[in-house]
């Protein structure tokens, strides 16, 4: 007797991939919880972006411009980049997936930090590539540790700068040293999702370094400071040959009409960007100081969030549950290998004060 046919099966490795789990967004019995679990901009989108989104409703029956010409021009002018070298995606996540799909074959590998963003790994594994993790004993990507993982089958090295979920960053000098030591066949991808929040003086955007390099891609997103996470817009600045190769497999209408219009408007809304930066620069040190005053370990952060480390995973879970009981949602980061950690987005004044009050009570237990 033969076994019954099972039907089509996914290619090897697909079912071994742990699916990405986004930040929790609801609490049973709480109508409007404080959602501080996804590093969103708690001020929301700016007025210009919202107005552009609303106006775009008139044209949602029409396919979007597949070349994202209007946004392409605005990004190029804002950052001083060559427009033909830009890749637009459904969030920067899609740019990572397109890079992996373009350059990885079975048996290749990517290298990233131990606590690097999970999206890099998921699409690499879908390409039947190996993921090599460089140790981060200080919760930061280390140049020598990354280089030690690189071999002849390495195609891409990913660096989050600043890094999610740890909040650490690499200086301009560190990024230049890493790039200089990489073989020419390896692409260095520098994910600058939180770039607009950085105030550390030795941090530098990698756009200038990428301009004259054949193997650097720099990515940005509109989900963070611009407050457009729900519209899913991101871009990459790549060598022309890479941009042209990726364009051959990119879906033709991967960015929506409202998304294109809102993102273009957001780039020009300097007042909203400044207000968003001021919220973080005011409250991140206050929140950090307060939580450290309760005896909690809070890692330094260059983003719009902080990572709090507890003595044990059980204590972190208890803290998360206690915050949930107060209507506050934060992000457990066990999926990143940090079961003792909770990542907390910097919120509005009321939200931050609520976090401080709740963790003060919890720490006193």
């Amino acid at each position: 007797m033969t076994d019954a046919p099972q039907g089509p099966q996914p290619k090897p490795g697909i079912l071994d991939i742990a699916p990405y789990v986004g930040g929790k967004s609801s609490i049973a019995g709480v109508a409007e919880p404080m959602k501080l679990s996804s590093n969103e901009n708690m001020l929301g989108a700016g007025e210009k972006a919202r107005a552009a989104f609303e106006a775009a409703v008139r044209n949602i029956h029409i396919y979007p411009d597949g070349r994202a010409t209007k946004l392409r021009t605005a990004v190029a002018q804002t950052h001083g980049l060559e427009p033909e070298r830009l890749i637009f995606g459904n969030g920067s996540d899609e740019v990572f997936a397109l890079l992996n799909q373009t350059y990885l074959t079975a048996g290749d590998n990517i290298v990233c930090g131990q606590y690097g963003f999970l999206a890099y790994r998921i699409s690499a594994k879908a390409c039947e590539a190996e993921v090599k993790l460089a140790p981060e004993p200080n919760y930061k990507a280390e140049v020598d540790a990354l280089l030690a993982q690189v071999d002849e089958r390495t195609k891409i090295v990913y660096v989050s700068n600043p890094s999610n979920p740890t909040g650490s960053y690499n200086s301009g000098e560190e990024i230049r040293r890493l790039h200089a030591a990489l073989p020419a066949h390896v692409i260095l991808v520098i994910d600058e999702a939180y770039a607009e929040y950085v105030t550390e003086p030795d941090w530098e955007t990698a756009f200038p370094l990428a301009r004259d390099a054949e193997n650097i891609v720099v990515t940005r997103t509109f989900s963070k400071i611009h407050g457009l996470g729900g519209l899913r817009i991101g871009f990459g600045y790549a060598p022309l040959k890479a941009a042209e190769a990726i364009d051959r497999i990119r879906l033709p209408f991967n960015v929506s009409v409202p998304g294109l219009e809102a993102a273009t408007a957001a780039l020009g809304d300097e007042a909203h960007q400044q207000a968003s930066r001021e919220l973080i620069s005011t409250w991140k040190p206050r929140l950090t100081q307060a939580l450290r005053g309760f005896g909690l370990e809070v890692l330094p952060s260059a983003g719009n969030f902080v990572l709090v480390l507890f003595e044990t995973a059980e204590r972190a879970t208890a803290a998360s549950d206690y915050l949930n009981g107060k209507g506050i949602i934060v992000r457990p980061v066990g999926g990143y290998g940090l079961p003792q950690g909770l990542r907390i987005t910097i919120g509005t004044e009321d939200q931050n004060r609520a976090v401080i009050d709740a963790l003060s009570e919890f720490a006193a237990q």
Side-chain angles (χ1 to χ4, degrees), residues 18-24 37-39 93 96 112-122 131 133-136 139-140 160 162-168 191 193-194 224 299 305 307 309 330-344:
Y20 182 82
V21 179
K24 181 178 175 180
S37 57
S38 296
N39 296 344
D93 293 2
F96 307 141
C112 58
Q114 176 182 1
Y115 304 121
F117 187 39
L118 295 177
Y120 315 144
R121 315 178 195 183
I122 292 173
V131 176
L133 300 178
E136 296 185 10
Y139 304 105
K140 170 186 171 178
S160 307
S163 184
N164 168 35
T166 62
S168 61
D191 175 5
Y194 298 94
K224 303 306 175 186
L299 298 187
F305 59 90
L307 182 64
L309 299 179
V330 297
R331 180 67 183 271
V333 285
Y336 285 90
L338 292 163
Q340 78 281 27
L342 295 179
R343 192 190 67 196
I344 305 175

Side-chain angles (χ1 to χ4, degrees), residues 251-296:
L251 295 177
F253 305 117
N254 61 329
V255 181
S256 71
V257 169
L260 290 170
E261 292 296 330
T264 302
L267 274 178
D269 195 343
E270 295 181 7
H272 181 67
Q273 294 171 44
Q274 183 60 27
S276 301
R277 278 190 290 268
E278 288 176 355
L279 176 67
I280 303 307
S281 64
T282 298
W283 275 101
K284 185 168 59 177
R286 291 184 184 180
L287 182 64
T288 298
Q289 181 180 19
L291 299 189
R292 287 176 177 169
F294 307 148
L296 300 174

Side-chain angles (χ1 to χ4, degrees), residues 23-33 35 37 324 328-329:
K24 181 178 175 180
S25 60
S26 62
I27 301 173
V30 180
E32 295 185 6
K35 182 174 180 281
S37 57
N324 285 180
I328 303 166
I329 306 173

